[in-house]
Amino acid sequence: MSLAASNPVATEVPAHPQTLASHAFTWPTPPYACYVDAAPQASILACEVEGGTGHSHSCLLAGLNLAGRTALIQIPSGRAAVPLRFNAIRRITLTPPLAPLPQPAGVDGEAGLGHAHDELLAYRARVNYRLELADGTWRQGQTIGHVENAAGLFLFHPLDEQDRVRRVFYPREAYRELQLGERIGQVLVAHKLVTAEQVEQAAREQDSLRGRKLGDYLVSREIVSPEQLLQALEQQARMPVVRVGEALLALGLVSPAQIDEALEQQKRDRGVPLGELLVRSGQISRRDLQMALARKMGFPVVDVHSFPPDVNALRKVPYAVARRLNVLPLLLRDHLLVVAADDPSQRASIEELEFVTQTKVLTALAGEGELEDVVAQAYARVGRDLSEAAAADHERRKTLTPAPGAASKLLESLEQQSVDEGDADGGALIEQSDNSLVLLINAMIIEAHRQGVSDIHIETFHTRRKVRIRFRKDGMLVPYMELPHTYRAALVARLKVMCDLDITERRQPQDGKIDFARFSEPHRIELRVATIPTQGGAEDVVLRILSSARPLPLDRLGLSPGNFRQLKEVVERPYGMVLCVGPTGSGKTTTLHSVLQHLNTPQRKIWTAENPIEITNPDLRQVQVNPKIDWSFDKALRTFLRADPDIIMVGEIRDQETAQVAVEASLTGHLILSTLHTNSAPETITRLLDMGLNPFNFADSLLAVLAQRLVRQLCDACKRVEPAPEADIELLLQDYLAAFPVDARPGADTLRAEWLERFGVQGRLLRHHAPGCPHCEHSGYKGRLGLHELLLVDADIRHLIMTGASPDQLRHSAMRQGHFRTLRQDGIERVLAGRTSMAEVRANCNL
């Protein structure tokens, strides 16, 4: 229903449908039930536009474009509407009045209020307002309600006793402040509660404090009582949501470049909040961060030395948890816990506290002082044995690596509950909808994502053995936790429900995908799920945490300079086939999406066929194949060829049919990207020929094969450097030279000189090792990096493909050209550069 349709006196002007469709806008109506609900503008409306100089003109309004901050205005004598920027408009008044809806009939059939709720439905109040414009002048009048949103301010001027209104719009750029109702000073004087002189004195004091915002006041005056704290939290709840980076930028404490640099670092170290990263890097001080949290985000500042903590709040949070998270419990009110922290914006700590306490948690900002000492003193005052708690905390840290955080504490209470409520044989069975189980699974996924885990392995048994959960972190499986066997069926069923699988099907494997944002709003996590039936009717579940963020830039994939240059050149060719190969979990999909992002321009049409879609990119046309409905890779590829593509990415070449269609597509003027599970670049060629491909067509279509592995990276926090022993250098030389054919092998002295030039320091090669530290959980490794070998297809390689050459012949021919290095050779260069260890290279590369 249009606005004009609801009002018989509205003036409608026919509009071009495309004009209204492209600038459709819902003009608000007075916020009372007696006025028609707002609806998108369906016709051009007569209006009066007041410009920045104060002059008004009668025009026609086609709509408002909030994204472009423009109004589409048409002069009555003109044929087309033109956009007028909001900053050039002071006011727009719609000429057609808007009338309230007709009154309902009374009990006797006459007009009037005949129902119990009619008085409420007919209610509308006139309110005086004063509006300060951007130029400092004031406007005043009456309005029947008002609406203020991102566009600006909408007022509704009453026209007559029937409360017909004229709708007025002030863009946000046109005004500074809106005052509604009478001023409090005038009301107090009218009721003879104060004198005019007292009001003037209070106004002068207000002017002196006008520049001080709530956050400034809280920073300068710390809270010392529960009443002050509750009042400050109530004020904070009314403040707009601001991110830490935005707050620091608004205060001029950092530059946009520093924020961008910290955000990039945060992607590599997800467990550290942005503000903490800036403090650690020396960009800002701890005091600067606290000022930003208080002034722009409204966090109350508590004097932790003087504030009396609530005993019940201290008992609610175990001392080991409070010390590890460095928080001080302050208040406990009606299932609401308030704590003080150095950085209240750390969501991970807040979520863990909520899981541990099963209570909603609000945070305040700890004032200056050592919070750790204050926490210890507070718990000492309530009779906690600190030495016993510290020992228990130390044992818990040793037995749970990596620390499961919230889930581990929740598990303790769940196990106790299972024993208390269960039978004599070890507990009652848990339902998949049990709230404790839901919280446990959510905590597990959040913790895995926070730690940078790639896969979650859930292993169940048909006996009474506990359910085992392990994380694959940096390529290694590490224990996470064990659950009672009573959780076995419910845990698997809950995960199936989350990814819309059949919970009754336990005999066949199933695949699905979880959009975790559906179950935990702030967390944008996607997971690929595979269920596998095991012995005795049990089921295992493997969850892969997908990279739902944007793909990495091509220059951040970690390719060597030579490989990076050659890969860029080959993928920018107009047609042909480029393959990325390696085992599962070696980063092939990430590499291909980085290539696609590099190639993505408005002039190219890119299709992808994936199973599942691991990296979502709105600029690509992405299709998920589904073998269950006979929608396979080869069928998707044939369909794409009829959709005028420039570039096609096939998630995986699994069979001859898909490989054949890919070769045909590359020979008909398309660039084809795909993956394959093979050990090296030369072996990929023989593997595809063994599938039955025509060697002549295949040789003509193939441009390059990129093989890759992921190895663990040495921890930068504990990495040590020392001159490399001569024996180690000799072993590296022998290992590096072994891959070369005899007739193309460089001399050891020549290679040593090249290494000294590239990696040497003061004429010596260095040995790097990491003994381990808390930052890397004492493993010596933190994160992973890629090793690559890039095989370019030149005339010699093409001839060898046509003649069915072996992988060794292909590799030797490429090495004679001087541009090919094996995975192991690439790994040795990373060892010399101090990025990884030789043990990691040997564990992941044969050649």
Side-chain angles (χ1 to χ4, degrees), residues 687-797:
R687 168 76 179 278
L688 287 169
L689 290 176
D690 289 342
M691 283 186 180
L693 290 182
N694 184 312
F696 295 94
N697 290 341
F698 179 46
D700 287 338
S701 68
L702 187 63
L703 297 177
V705 182
L706 177 70
Q708 65 182 60
R709 297 287 189 280
L710 291 179
V711 296
R712 292 186 295 172
Q713 188 171 234
L714 290 176
C715 174
D716 290 331
C718 61
K719 185 163 59 178
R720 303 289 183 266
V721 182
E722 61 186 20
E726 188 60 31
D728 289 0
I729 301 299
E730 288 297 328
L731 286 175
L732 291 178
L733 285 169
Q734 294 175 15
D735 210 344
Y736 194 92
L737 293 172
F740 282 96
V742 176
D743 58 346
R745 184 175 299 167
D749 293 338
T750 303
L751 184 57
R752 182 194 294 267
E754 180 187 341
W755 285 356
L756 279 172
E757 181 180 353
R758 295 172 59 193
F759 308 112
V761 177
Q762 296 179 353
R764 295 289 304 273
L765 292 173
L766 304 176
R767 183 176 71 174
H768 304 76
H769 67 98
C773 65
H775 183 66
C776 61
E777 297 168 358
H778 302 283
S779 67
Y781 298 96
K782 184 71 173 180
R784 289 195 288 178
L785 60 91
L787 305 182
H788 305 87
E789 66 177 28
L790 180 62
L791 177 64
L792 299 178
V793 178
D794 55 17
D796 292 337
I797 298 294

Side-chain angles (χ1 to χ4, degrees), residues 523-643:
H523 300 282
R524 306 296 300 177
I525 308 171
E526 293 182 343
L527 303 100
R528 185 177 70 193
V529 181
T531 68
I532 305 99
T534 57
Q535 180 185 6
E539 287 182 280
D540 277 18
V541 183
V542 179
L543 300 92
R544 167 156 292 187
I545 299 178
L546 305 177
S547 175
S548 58
R550 292 181 178 179
L552 291 173
L554 196 59
D555 57 0
R556 288 188 52 207
L557 287 177
L559 292 151
S560 66
N563 284 341
F564 174 68
R565 184 186 67 257
Q566 293 169 354
L567 181 62
K568 271 190 67 176
E569 291 175 357
V570 77
V571 298
E572 288 172 354
R573 296 187 186 180
Y575 58 88
M577 185 161 60
V578 178
L579 301 175
C580 185
V581 302
T584 300
S586 59
K588 300 185 297 298
T589 301
T590 300
T591 297
L592 286 189
H593 272 276
S594 297
V595 171
L596 290 177
Q597 187 66 18
H598 171 72
L599 297 174
N600 182 35
T601 64
Q603 293 76 34
R604 291 191 175 109
K605 181 65 174 284
I606 302 176
W607 287 95
T608 75
E610 304 170 74
N611 187 22
I613 298 173
E614 297 188 15
I615 299 178
T616 304
N617 189 336
D619 294 331
L620 310 180
R621 309 310 301 151
Q622 296 178 274
V623 172
Q624 179 160 332
V625 301
N626 186 355
K628 294 180 181 179
I629 59 172
D630 198 26
W631 176 236
S632 56
F633 282 114
D634 62 289
K635 290 192 174 182
L637 189 51
R638 292 186 188 278
T639 302
F640 293 165
L641 293 176
R642 296 191 293 270

Side-chain angles (χ1 to χ4, degrees), residues 446-559:
I446 293 169
E447 179 72 8
H449 184 260
R450 185 185 67 81
Q451 294 186 22
V453 168
S454 62
D455 299 88
I456 303 172
H457 292 253
I458 300 172
E459 300 162 351
T460 68
F461 305 89
H462 67 285
T463 62
R464 292 187 177 273
R465 183 174 172 179
K466 287 188 173 183
V467 177
R468 182 170 63 176
I469 301 176
R470 295 188 287 174
F471 285 170
R472 187 173 295 281
K473 188 175 180 182
D474 293 338
M476 304 291 290
L477 275 177
V478 293
Y480 175 62
M481 69 163 54
E482 291 187 345
L483 294 172
H485 73 276
T486 52
Y487 282 78
R488 178 180 63 214
L491 179 63
V492 176
R494 172 61 185 170
L495 291 170
K496 288 182 177 180
V497 168
M498 293 176 73
C499 52
D500 298 324
L501 297 180
D502 184 359
I503 63 173
T504 63
E505 179 56 71
R506 301 175 183 171
R507 299 170 300 171
Q508 294 185 357
Q510 299 185 71
D511 296 322
K513 189 175 181 180
I514 295 176
D515 181 2
F516 191 61
R518 293 168 49 201
F519 308 97
S520 184
E521 180 67 29
H523 300 282
R524 306 296 300 177
I525 308 171
E526 293 182 343
L527 303 100
R528 185 177 70 193
V529 181
T531 68
I532 305 99
T534 57
Q535 180 185 6
E539 287 182 280
D540 277 18
V541 183
V542 179
L543 300 92
R544 167 156 292 187
I545 299 178
L546 305 177
S547 175
S548 58
R550 292 181 178 179
L552 291 173
L554 196 59
D555 57 0
R556 288 188 52 207
L557 287 177
L559 292 151

Side-chain angles (χ1 to χ4, degrees), residues 13-26 40-45 60-66 70-75 78-84:
V13 180
H16 194 285
Q18 293 183 351
T19 300
L20 287 175
S22 60
H23 296 83
F25 174 75
T26 301
Q41 182 175 337
S43 61
I44 290 181
L45 298 174
L60 300 174
L61 177 69
L64 300 181
N65 181 1
L66 297 189
T70 58
L72 202 62
I73 302 296
Q74 182 176 340
I75 305 300
R79 294 185 177 181
V82 295
L84 188 62

